[in-house]
Amino acid sequence: DAELGDLIEEAHEVTSFGRVAAQTAKQVVLQRLREAEREVVLAEYEDKVGQIVTGIVNRVEPRVVRIELGKAVGIMPQSEQIQGEYYSVGSRMKVLIKDIERDNRGPQLILSRGSEAFISKLFEQEVPEIANGIVEIVSIAREAGSRTKMAVTSRDENVDSVGACVGQRGLRVQAIMDELMGEKIDIIEWDSDDITFISNSLNPAK
């Protein structure tokens, strides 16, 4: 029956409440506060899942890189890293917010640089024809750190899908390769006919 502004009093009989018990209670309360605070911060990032953001490397551990994104800190597991890429504390880099994972330890931002979605979003940022839907990325196959093959098609017969992605003198694709530390990117024309598509994907080999 409590109303706003009422004073609520409860009595609890405590038989023993030593230093260790007090310390434990304090730790539990602080942990719950931290979890609640992290939930509030991560709620801000829920609508950013699938987007690329710029973060600062906070800590490098054997299997995980921790990256600061303003108020929140996300983790980039080994499986989401680019093989052979060096991460130094304090360096700035683009990452994809892949997911928000919730487990017993509380919510955690999962970041990625090694996924196909990261490549797709980089091209979306770099190529206006992809951003406005004229050129469509049909499929991506990737060995992060080594090579990416990307199949594209155009919804406008006057627009060359491969040319749009490569850019004048290769500037667009080069900007993305620089972001990926020189990872090779093959852009090929998608075709509904399997034989033509496979032939395109193997070019310049016959």
Side-chain angles (χ1 to χ4, degrees), residues 128-160:
E129 291 87 345
I130 291 177
N132 61 28
I134 294 172
V135 172
E136 181 191 351
I137 298 171
V138 181
S139 181
I140 296 176
R142 187 181 186 201
E143 287 178 14
S146 177
R147 182 181 291 277
T148 287
K149 273 190 185 282
M150 186 171 84
V152 293
T153 189
S154 176
R155 292 175 179 168
D156 183 340
E157 58 185 29
N158 298 315
V159 175
D160 172 17

mmCIF file of all heavy atoms in Angstrom, residues 128-160:
data_model
loop_
_atom_site.group_PDB
_atom_site.id
_atom_site.type_symbol
_atom_site.label_atom_id
_atom_site.label_comp_id
_atom_site.label_asym_id
_atom_site.label_seq_id
_atom_site.Cartn_x
_atom_site.Cartn_y
_atom_site.Cartn_z
ATOM 1 N N PRO A 128 27.747 4.589 -52.972
ATOM 2 C CA PRO A 128 26.379 5.138 -52.898
ATOM 3 C C PRO A 128 25.350 4.263 -53.617
ATOM 4 O O PRO A 128 24.207 4.159 -53.172
ATOM 5 C CB PRO A 128 26.507 6.496 -53.591
ATOM 6 C CG PRO A 128 27.958 6.835 -53.556
ATOM 7 C CD PRO A 128 28.692 5.543 -53.575
ATOM 8 N N GLU A 129 25.766 3.604 -54.708
ATOM 9 C CA GLU A 129 24.833 2.756 -55.469
ATOM 10 C C GLU A 129 24.352 1.562 -54.651
ATOM 11 O O GLU A 129 23.243 1.059 -54.869
ATOM 12 C CB GLU A 129 25.506 2.253 -56.768
ATOM 13 C CG GLU A 129 25.754 3.320 -57.802
ATOM 14 C CD GLU A 129 27.085 4.055 -57.621
ATOM 15 O OE1 GLU A 129 27.703 3.942 -56.533
ATOM 16 O OE2 GLU A 129 27.503 4.742 -58.561
ATOM 17 N N ILE A 130 25.182 1.083 -53.709
ATOM 18 C CA ILE A 130 24.747 -0.005 -52.818
ATOM 19 C C ILE A 130 23.833 0.568 -51.740
ATOM 20 O O ILE A 130 22.787 -0.007 -51.426
ATOM 21 C CB ILE A 130 25.961 -0.730 -52.186
ATOM 22 C CG1 ILE A 130 26.718 -1.517 -53.265
ATOM 23 C CG2 ILE A 130 25.511 -1.680 -51.066
ATOM 24 C CD1 ILE A 130 27.978 -2.202 -52.776
ATOM 25 N N ALA A 131 24.212 1.715 -51.186
ATOM 26 C CA ALA A 131 23.409 2.350 -50.125
ATOM 27 C C ALA A 131 21.996 2.673 -50.596
ATOM 28 O O ALA A 131 21.030 2.507 -49.851
ATOM 29 C CB ALA A 131 24.104 3.616 -49.630
ATOM 30 N N ASN A 132 21.857 3.107 -51.887
ATOM 31 C CA ASN A 132 20.512 3.472 -52.364
ATOM 32 C C ASN A 132 19.794 2.326 -53.080
ATOM 33 O O ASN A 132 18.715 2.517 -53.623
ATOM 34 C CB ASN A 132 20.551 4.739 -53.221
ATOM 35 C CG ASN A 132 21.408 4.583 -54.468
ATOM 36 O OD1 ASN A 132 21.566 3.483 -55.001
ATOM 37 N ND2 ASN A 132 21.982 5.682 -54.941
ATOM 38 N N GLY A 133 20.413 1.133 -53.095
ATOM 39 C CA GLY A 133 19.713 -0.058 -53.587
ATOM 40 C C GLY A 133 19.808 -0.326 -55.078
ATOM 41 O O GLY A 133 19.230 -1.297 -55.566
ATOM 42 N N ILE A 134 20.557 0.496 -55.819
ATOM 43 C CA ILE A 134 20.693 0.254 -57.266
ATOM 44 C C ILE A 134 21.557 -0.986 -57.503
ATOM 45 O O ILE A 134 21.264 -1.830 -58.337
ATOM 46 C CB ILE A 134 21.303 1.487 -57.980
ATOM 47 C CG1 ILE A 134 20.331 2.670 -57.903
ATOM 48 C CG2 ILE A 134 21.630 1.169 -59.440
ATOM 49 C CD1 ILE A 134 20.911 3.978 -58.392
ATOM 50 N N VAL A 135 22.650 -1.090 -56.730
ATOM 51 C CA VAL A 135 23.521 -2.275 -56.803
ATOM 52 C C VAL A 135 23.278 -3.114 -55.556
ATOM 53 O O VAL A 135 23.238 -2.599 -54.445
ATOM 54 C CB VAL A 135 25.013 -1.869 -56.912
ATOM 55 C CG1 VAL A 135 25.917 -3.090 -56.788
ATOM 56 C CG2 VAL A 135 25.263 -1.152 -58.234
ATOM 57 N N GLU A 136 23.127 -4.421 -55.771
ATOM 58 C CA GLU A 136 22.843 -5.330 -54.653
ATOM 59 C C GLU A 136 23.981 -6.333 -54.473
ATOM 60 O O GLU A 136 24.504 -6.880 -55.449
ATOM 61 C CB GLU A 136 21.544 -6.099 -54.937
ATOM 62 C CG GLU A 136 21.140 -7.045 -53.820
ATOM 63 C CD GLU A 136 20.010 -7.979 -54.224
ATOM 64 O OE1 GLU A 136 19.421 -7.795 -55.317
ATOM 65 O OE2 GLU A 136 19.732 -8.913 -53.450
ATOM 66 N N ILE A 137 24.401 -6.528 -53.212
ATOM 67 C CA ILE A 137 25.373 -7.581 -52.901
ATOM 68 C C ILE A 137 24.576 -8.868 -52.730
ATOM 69 O O ILE A 137 23.771 -8.995 -51.812
ATOM 70 C CB ILE A 137 26.161 -7.259 -51.605
ATOM 71 C CG1 ILE A 137 26.960 -5.970 -51.776
ATOM 72 C CG2 ILE A 137 27.090 -8.418 -51.250
ATOM 73 C CD1 ILE A 137 27.605 -5.459 -50.500
ATOM 74 N N VAL A 138 24.788 -9.823 -53.644
ATOM 75 C CA VAL A 138 24.007 -11.065 -53.607
ATOM 76 C C VAL A 138 24.628 -12.064 -52.638
ATOM 77 O O VAL A 138 23.934 -12.738 -51.888
ATOM 78 C CB VAL A 138 23.906 -11.689 -55.021
ATOM 79 C CG1 VAL A 138 23.077 -12.975 -54.981
ATOM 80 C CG2 VAL A 138 23.284 -10.693 -55.996
ATOM 81 N N SER A 139 25.958 -12.137 -52.638
ATOM 82 C CA SER A 139 26.617 -13.151 -51.810
ATOM 83 C C SER A 139 28.066 -12.754 -51.535
ATOM 84 O O SER A 139 28.697 -12.096 -52.364
ATOM 85 C CB SER A 139 26.574 -14.500 -52.533
ATOM 86 O OG SER A 139 27.173 -15.491 -51.749
ATOM 87 N N ILE A 140 28.552 -13.153 -50.362
ATOM 88 C CA ILE A 140 29.956 -12.898 -50.001
ATOM 89 C C ILE A 140 30.556 -14.176 -49.431
ATOM 90 O O ILE A 140 29.946 -14.846 -48.603
ATOM 91 C CB ILE A 140 30.082 -11.766 -48.947
ATOM 92 C CG1 ILE A 140 29.582 -10.434 -49.525
ATOM 93 C CG2 ILE A 140 31.528 -11.619 -48.477
ATOM 94 C CD1 ILE A 140 29.583 -9.285 -48.512
ATOM 95 N N ALA A 141 31.766 -14.512 -49.897
ATOM 96 C CA ALA A 141 32.536 -15.608 -49.291
ATOM 97 C C ALA A 141 33.848 -14.992 -48.818
ATOM 98 O O ALA A 141 34.468 -14.213 -49.548
ATOM 99 C CB ALA A 141 32.790 -16.711 -50.307
ATOM 100 N N ARG A 142 34.250 -15.321 -47.593
ATOM 101 C CA ARG A 142 35.414 -14.622 -47.031
ATOM 102 C C ARG A 142 36.317 -15.520 -46.209
ATOM 103 O O ARG A 142 35.850 -16.328 -45.419
ATOM 104 C CB ARG A 142 34.920 -13.465 -46.148
ATOM 105 C CG ARG A 142 36.048 -12.578 -45.648
ATOM 106 C CD ARG A 142 35.557 -11.455 -44.763
ATOM 107 N NE ARG A 142 36.655 -10.559 -44.433
ATOM 108 C CZ ARG A 142 36.683 -9.728 -43.400
ATOM 109 N NH1 ARG A 142 35.636 -9.650 -42.614
ATOM 110 N NH2 ARG A 142 37.727 -8.976 -43.167
ATOM 111 N N GLU A 143 37.629 -15.357 -46.417
ATOM 112 C CA GLU A 143 38.645 -15.875 -45.505
ATOM 113 C C GLU A 143 39.313 -14.632 -44.936
ATOM 114 O O GLU A 143 40.189 -14.036 -45.582
ATOM 115 C CB GLU A 143 39.661 -16.746 -46.248
ATOM 116 C CG GLU A 143 39.104 -18.103 -46.670
ATOM 117 C CD GLU A 143 40.136 -18.927 -47.443
ATOM 118 O OE1 GLU A 143 41.328 -18.565 -47.426
ATOM 119 O OE2 GLU A 143 39.728 -19.921 -48.050
ATOM 120 N N ALA A 144 38.861 -14.217 -43.744
ATOM 121 C CA ALA A 144 39.292 -12.934 -43.169
ATOM 122 C C ALA A 144 40.808 -12.848 -43.075
ATOM 123 O O ALA A 144 41.460 -13.744 -42.552
ATOM 124 C CB ALA A 144 38.660 -12.747 -41.793
ATOM 125 N N GLY A 145 41.356 -11.765 -43.620
ATOM 126 C CA GLY A 145 42.797 -11.557 -43.601
ATOM 127 C C GLY A 145 43.468 -12.031 -44.871
ATOM 128 O O GLY A 145 44.615 -11.685 -45.146
ATOM 129 N N SER A 146 42.764 -12.826 -45.668
ATOM 130 C CA SER A 146 43.345 -13.370 -46.892
ATOM 131 C C SER A 146 42.622 -12.853 -48.134
ATOM 132 O O SER A 146 43.152 -12.072 -48.901
ATOM 133 C CB SER A 146 43.307 -14.905 -46.843
ATOM 134 O OG SER A 146 43.789 -15.452 -48.042
ATOM 135 N N ARG A 147 41.370 -13.302 -48.327
ATOM 136 C CA ARG A 147 40.660 -12.941 -49.554
ATOM 137 C C ARG A 147 39.148 -12.930 -49.325
ATOM 138 O O ARG A 147 38.619 -13.722 -48.549
ATOM 139 C CB ARG A 147 41.005 -13.949 -50.652
ATOM 140 C CG ARG A 147 40.351 -13.647 -51.998
ATOM 141 C CD ARG A 147 40.713 -14.708 -53.032
ATOM 142 N NE ARG A 147 42.105 -14.653 -53.400
ATOM 143 C CZ ARG A 147 42.618 -13.828 -54.313
ATOM 144 N NH1 ARG A 147 41.830 -12.971 -54.939
ATOM 145 N NH2 ARG A 147 43.887 -13.846 -54.608
ATOM 146 N N THR A 148 38.493 -12.051 -50.064
ATOM 147 C CA THR A 148 37.029 -11.993 -50.090
ATOM 148 C C THR A 148 36.572 -12.048 -51.536
ATOM 149 O O THR A 148 37.164 -11.401 -52.398
ATOM 150 C CB THR A 148 36.533 -10.683 -49.435
ATOM 151 O OG1 THR A 148 36.708 -10.770 -48.022
ATOM 152 C CG2 THR A 148 35.050 -10.452 -49.709
ATOM 153 N N LYS A 149 35.527 -12.827 -51.792
ATOM 154 C CA LYS A 149 34.872 -12.809 -53.105
ATOM 155 C C LYS A 149 33.455 -12.300 -52.885
ATOM 156 O O LYS A 149 32.751 -12.797 -52.008
ATOM 157 C CB LYS A 149 34.844 -14.199 -53.737
ATOM 158 C CG LYS A 149 36.098 -14.523 -54.553
ATOM 159 C CD LYS A 149 35.924 -15.794 -55.357
ATOM 160 C CE LYS A 149 37.207 -16.193 -56.071
ATOM 161 N NZ LYS A 149 37.452 -15.414 -57.280
ATOM 162 N N MET A 150 33.055 -11.325 -53.692
ATOM 163 C CA MET A 150 31.739 -10.716 -53.515
ATOM 164 C C MET A 150 31.010 -10.681 -54.858
ATOM 165 O O MET A 150 31.539 -10.183 -55.854
ATOM 166 C CB MET A 150 31.914 -9.291 -52.971
ATOM 167 C CG MET A 150 30.612 -8.613 -52.613
ATOM 168 S SD MET A 150 30.890 -7.057 -51.738
ATOM 169 C CE MET A 150 31.150 -5.944 -53.105
ATOM 170 N N ALA A 151 29.804 -11.261 -54.868
ATOM 171 C CA ALA A 151 28.988 -11.276 -56.087
ATOM 172 C C ALA A 151 27.964 -10.147 -56.018
ATOM 173 O O ALA A 151 27.241 -10.020 -55.027
ATOM 174 C CB ALA A 151 28.290 -12.619 -56.236
ATOM 175 N N VAL A 152 27.926 -9.334 -57.079
ATOM 176 C CA VAL A 152 27.017 -8.184 -57.097
ATOM 177 C C VAL A 152 26.180 -8.181 -58.378
ATOM 178 O O VAL A 152 26.555 -8.780 -59.390
ATOM 179 C CB VAL A 152 27.795 -6.846 -56.991
ATOM 180 C CG1 VAL A 152 28.453 -6.711 -55.638
ATOM 181 C CG2 VAL A 152 28.839 -6.715 -58.100
ATOM 182 N N THR A 153 25.048 -7.509 -58.311
ATOM 183 C CA THR A 153 24.203 -7.358 -59.495
ATOM 184 C C THR A 153 23.577 -5.970 -59.478
ATOM 185 O O THR A 153 23.463 -5.354 -58.412
ATOM 186 C CB THR A 153 23.112 -8.455 -59.543
ATOM 187 O OG1 THR A 153 22.438 -8.403 -60.795
ATOM 188 C CG2 THR A 153 22.096 -8.288 -58.417
ATOM 189 N N SER A 154 23.187 -5.496 -60.667
ATOM 190 C CA SER A 154 22.609 -4.159 -60.766
ATOM 191 C C SER A 154 21.128 -4.247 -61.104
ATOM 192 O O SER A 154 20.716 -5.074 -61.917
ATOM 193 C CB SER A 154 23.342 -3.352 -61.842
ATOM 194 O OG SER A 154 22.726 -2.095 -61.998
ATOM 195 N N ARG A 155 20.331 -3.376 -60.482
ATOM 196 C CA ARG A 155 18.899 -3.307 -60.784
ATOM 197 C C ARG A 155 18.618 -2.294 -61.885
ATOM 198 O O ARG A 155 17.477 -2.131 -62.292
ATOM 199 C CB ARG A 155 18.128 -2.938 -59.513
ATOM 200 C CG ARG A 155 18.164 -4.062 -58.480
ATOM 201 C CD ARG A 155 17.509 -3.675 -57.188
ATOM 202 N NE ARG A 155 17.540 -4.777 -56.242
ATOM 203 C CZ ARG A 155 17.244 -4.652 -54.965
ATOM 204 N NH1 ARG A 155 16.883 -3.486 -54.481
ATOM 205 N NH2 ARG A 155 17.287 -5.700 -54.164
ATOM 206 N N ASP A 156 19.683 -1.620 -62.311
ATOM 207 C CA ASP A 156 19.566 -0.637 -63.388
ATOM 208 C C ASP A 156 20.554 -1.039 -64.482
ATOM 209 O O ASP A 156 21.763 -1.079 -64.251
ATOM 210 C CB ASP A 156 19.903 0.755 -62.845
ATOM 211 C CG ASP A 156 19.730 1.862 -63.884
ATOM 212 O OD1 ASP A 156 19.724 1.543 -65.089
ATOM 213 O OD2 ASP A 156 19.624 3.035 -63.488
ATOM 214 N N GLU A 157 20.031 -1.335 -65.680
ATOM 215 C CA GLU A 157 20.903 -1.823 -66.762
ATOM 216 C C GLU A 157 21.943 -0.794 -67.190
ATOM 217 O O GLU A 157 22.949 -1.133 -67.832
ATOM 218 C CB GLU A 157 20.064 -2.265 -67.969
ATOM 219 C CG GLU A 157 19.167 -1.177 -68.537
ATOM 220 C CD GLU A 157 18.269 -1.673 -69.657
ATOM 221 O OE1 GLU A 157 17.921 -2.871 -69.653
ATOM 222 O OE2 GLU A 157 17.927 -0.843 -70.520
ATOM 223 N N ASN A 158 21.749 0.461 -66.824
ATOM 224 C CA ASN A 158 22.715 1.509 -67.165
ATOM 225 C C ASN A 158 23.855 1.622 -66.147
ATOM 226 O O ASN A 158 24.781 2.404 -66.346
ATOM 227 C CB ASN A 158 22.015 2.868 -67.290
ATOM 228 C CG ASN A 158 20.969 2.869 -68.397
ATOM 229 O OD1 ASN A 158 21.229 2.383 -69.496
ATOM 230 N ND2 ASN A 158 19.793 3.389 -68.096
ATOM 231 N N VAL A 159 23.733 0.868 -65.045
ATOM 232 C CA VAL A 159 24.765 0.939 -63.997
ATOM 233 C C VAL A 159 25.550 -0.370 -63.977
ATOM 234 O O VAL A 159 24.976 -1.450 -63.855
ATOM 235 C CB VAL A 159 24.130 1.206 -62.606
ATOM 236 C CG1 VAL A 159 25.196 1.166 -61.513
ATOM 237 C CG2 VAL A 159 23.419 2.551 -62.593
ATOM 238 N N ASP A 160 26.860 -0.272 -64.112
ATOM 239 C CA ASP A 160 27.745 -1.438 -64.039
ATOM 240 C C ASP A 160 28.015 -1.740 -62.569
ATOM 241 O O ASP A 160 28.664 -0.946 -61.878
ATOM 242 C CB ASP A 160 29.047 -1.114 -64.790
ATOM 243 C CG ASP A 160 30.106 -2.200 -64.614
ATOM 244 O OD1 ASP A 160 29.753 -3.318 -64.208
ATOM 245 O OD2 ASP A 160 31.293 -1.909 -64.876
#
